[in-house]
Amino acid sequence: MSAERLYAPVDGIYCDHCVETITRALASVDGVTRVSVRQNTACIEGEHLPSPAAIAAAIRGAGYETDEARIGRRPIGARYHEILIIAAGLLALAALLRRVFGRNVFNMIPTVDSSLSYGMLFVTGLMTSVHCISMCGAIGLAASGETNAVRSLRRPLLYNAGRVISYTAIGGIVGLAGGVLRVSPAAQGAIILAASVLMLLMALQLLGLVRLRLPRLLTLKTGVGRAGPFVIGLLNGLMPCGPLQAMQLYALSTGSALSGALAMMLFALGTVPLMLASGAVIDLSRGRVRTLAARVMPVMMLLLAISMMNRGLLALGVDVIPDRGGDYLSATLEDGVQTASFTLAYDAYADLLLQKGVPARIVIHADESMLTGCNNEVVCPELGFDVPLRPGDNVIDFTPQEEGEFVYTCWMNMIKNRIRVVDDPDRFKRN
């Protein structure tokens, strides 16, 4: 007699241990001879299979959720509508918070410079924890996922220990390399782009949209009792993260391996409390809370991957987002120099209109309260400027030689505006 087969959806899976827990729970049900779990679906085989109610009871007893009505003999496809709804909800939440606070609260990166004390470096880590949760929290939850209450604290601890050690080691290396030139925009873009592709593949695997034979580590299936969470924490130090990049520059400025390592260690320790708490709370949860986390987490990772991919492409000079069609600030022409002045905003510069072949001067007035670790450096490789911003008036001089649309960004490619160069003197004001 050939074995029968049933398929059951399982909600709440976000790590390899989840898969093993569900497999053991279903394998213990009478009549089941083989269980495999893939893309949030359990495939149950046996000559005399139990009822859908018994299968659902086993899944719920293990701390997960299922829809008993969907348990049947047909394979269960990915729920694209659910992914779209979650993505729309996350984007709407981000837009609402931006409207309420007047800025992107997930990009609150304090300015990091040589004036910071070691105590303030720890506080900086605490302040950027919200950013860490929004950018890397999904990876942390996937890496440290567990169902057993005793082990659930162990894996988040391993993941965060890996992060602290990685940050400290990187701080020591870049501190030792104090006088080395900064990585070029092209190399920075390639690194960010490569990281975004890997994160995209991880998210698609977790969402069940692809079945790729990725290395075990890239699928975040790290196994029980292994060093997987610790290894992923180590690799987390290589992420192109805004606060982390700012801290790496700080460590670089120390010119000392010891000072650089100590600075990065204190910053990393400051990020641990919120990262550890969020991982432990989710891991200790069961049922609907776990299900919600497992559904939202890969969508967050997917959106982050897309955002990072855009940053990488911008650093390589590729602008994939079309012109917004907004207002451009026209320069004022006086004594043969065209000048465009604007006041720095928290997460935006200004779109500028300049004339070809005429010396240009951009004046950016920066209020100290508006300067952050993200917007404090303006970069445009195509027009040849890379200027740190300080409180007061910051002047950028250059001469645009070609017509076209040029993108200028912050040094992390997270803020983007345009400079349009035209050969039409009648469009400019004259004093």
Side-chain angles (χ1 to χ4, degrees):
M1 181 181 295
S2 61
E4 298 177 353
R5 182 175 296 172
L6 284 177
Y7 295 91
V10 184
D11 292 325
I13 297 176
Y14 59 87
C15 70
D16 195 39
H17 184 70
C18 294
V19 172
E20 296 182 16
T21 300
I22 294 164
T23 300
R24 288 196 302 269
L26 290 173
S28 65
V29 179
D30 290 340
V32 176
T33 58
R34 184 175 182 274
V35 177
S36 60
V37 180
R38 180 178 295 178
Q39 275 73 44
N40 299 333
T41 299
C43 177
I44 304 133
E45 297 182 30
E47 294 184 359
H48 301 286
L49 287 174
S51 66
I55 293 173
I59 293 173
R60 290 176 181 135
Y64 299 84
E65 289 291 315
T66 187
D67 183 354
E68 187 176 328
R70 296 180 65 209
I71 298 176
R73 299 185 181 279
R74 292 186 178 182
I76 300 168
R79 292 172 288 193
Y80 295 99
H81 67 284
E82 182 181 279
I83 296 170
L84 292 175
I85 291 172
I86 293 173
L90 290 172
L91 293 174
L93 176 62
L96 176 63
L97 292 174
R98 185 182 185 123
R99 187 174 184 84
V100 171
F101 293 99
R103 59 186 62 182
N104 181 0
V105 296
F106 299 111
N107 191 29
M108 294 177 68
I109 304 171
T111 301
V112 178
D113 56 35
S114 58
S115 65
L116 283 181
S117 66
Y118 285 133
M120 281 305 298
L121 289 171
F122 180 82
V123 174
T124 299
L126 288 173
M127 292 171 61
T128 55
S129 291
V130 173
H131 180 95
C132 294
I133 290 293
S134 63
M135 296 293 104
C136 304
I139 296 176
L141 291 177
S144 59
E146 189 62 85
T147 60
N148 181 278
V150 175
R151 291 178 176 172
S152 64
L153 188 58
R154 174 181 176 272
R155 292 171 67 86
L157 280 171
L158 281 175
Y159 169 70
N160 282 281
R163 284 198 315 115
V164 172
I165 291 174
S166 176
Y167 288 15
T168 304
I170 290 173
I173 292 171
V174 298
L176 184 64
V180 176
L181 294 177
R182 196 174 64 183
V183 177
S184 68
Q188 183 186 51
I191 293 170
I192 295 174
L193 198 58
S196 69
V197 170
L198 294 179
M199 184 170 291
L200 179 65
L201 293 175
M202 290 158 53
L204 293 177
Q205 283 280 67
L206 289 172
L207 288 168
L209 299 182
V210 297
R211 296 184 179 184
L212 301 176
R213 291 187 175 276
L214 297 173
R216 187 175 180 85
L217 184 59
L218 296 185
T219 63
L220 297 181
K221 296 184 180 298
T222 54
V224 181
R226 301 180 184 180
F230 180 74
V231 174
I232 294 176
L234 290 175
L235 293 176
N236 207 176
L238 303 177
M239 288 287 293
C241 159
L244 185 56
Q245 287 177 301
M247 283 304 309
Q248 288 167 353
L249 286 179
Y250 177 90
L252 188 69
S253 70
T254 65
S256 162
L258 179 61
S259 297
L262 182 58
M264 289 286 283
M265 181 186 71
L266 290 169
F267 170 77
L269 289 174
T271 67
V272 166
L274 188 55
M275 290 287 284
L276 180 62
S278 64
V281 167
I282 295 299
D283 290 334
L284 287 168
S285 65
R286 296 171 67 85
R288 295 187 182 278
V289 176
R290 176 182 290 276
T291 296
L292 180 62
R295 288 180 179 178
V296 172
M297 180 196 66
V299 179
M300 288 177 59
M301 193 181 295
L302 179 65
L303 294 176
L304 172 59
I306 294 172
S307 174
M308 284 176 54
M309 193 171 293
N310 181 56
R311 287 177 55 200
L313 290 172
L314 280 175
L316 294 172
V318 179
D319 185 11
V320 296
I321 299 178
D323 188 353
R324 301 183 300 275
D327 294 332
Y328 280 71
L329 174 65
S330 296
T332 299
L333 191 60
E334 183 177 8
D335 297 331
V337 178
Q338 54 181 331
T339 302
S341 302
F342 64 90
T343 300
L344 180 68
Y346 183 84
D347 53 2
Y349 301 125
D351 293 326
L352 306 176
L353 185 64
L354 301 178
Q355 184 178 344
K356 173 186 172 183
V358 178
R361 173 167 294 172
I362 299 174
V363 180
I364 304 175
H365 178 75
D367 187 277
E368 188 170 5
S369 65
M370 284 292 164
L371 278 171
T372 73
C374 180
N375 69 7
N376 63 355
E377 187 171 341
V378 183
V379 180
C380 184
E382 291 180 290
L383 295 178
F385 62 79
D386 182 346
V387 179
L389 301 182
R390 300 287 185 265
D393 288 336
N394 299 269
V395 178
I396 305 172
D397 290 318
F398 64 99
T399 301
Q401 301 292 351
E402 298 181 3
E403 291 184 77
E405 187 102 337
F406 303 93
V407 173
Y408 73 112
T409 71
C410 67
W411 66 279
M412 291 185 296
N413 302 292
M414 297 180 73
I415 298 173
K416 178 186 75 171
N417 286 87
R418 291 176 168 83
I419 297 174
R420 179 175 291 173
V421 180
V422 298
D423 190 11
D424 184 2
D426 293 334
R427 301 180 66 174
F428 294 86
K429 304 173 184 176
R430 296 174 183 269
N431 288 338

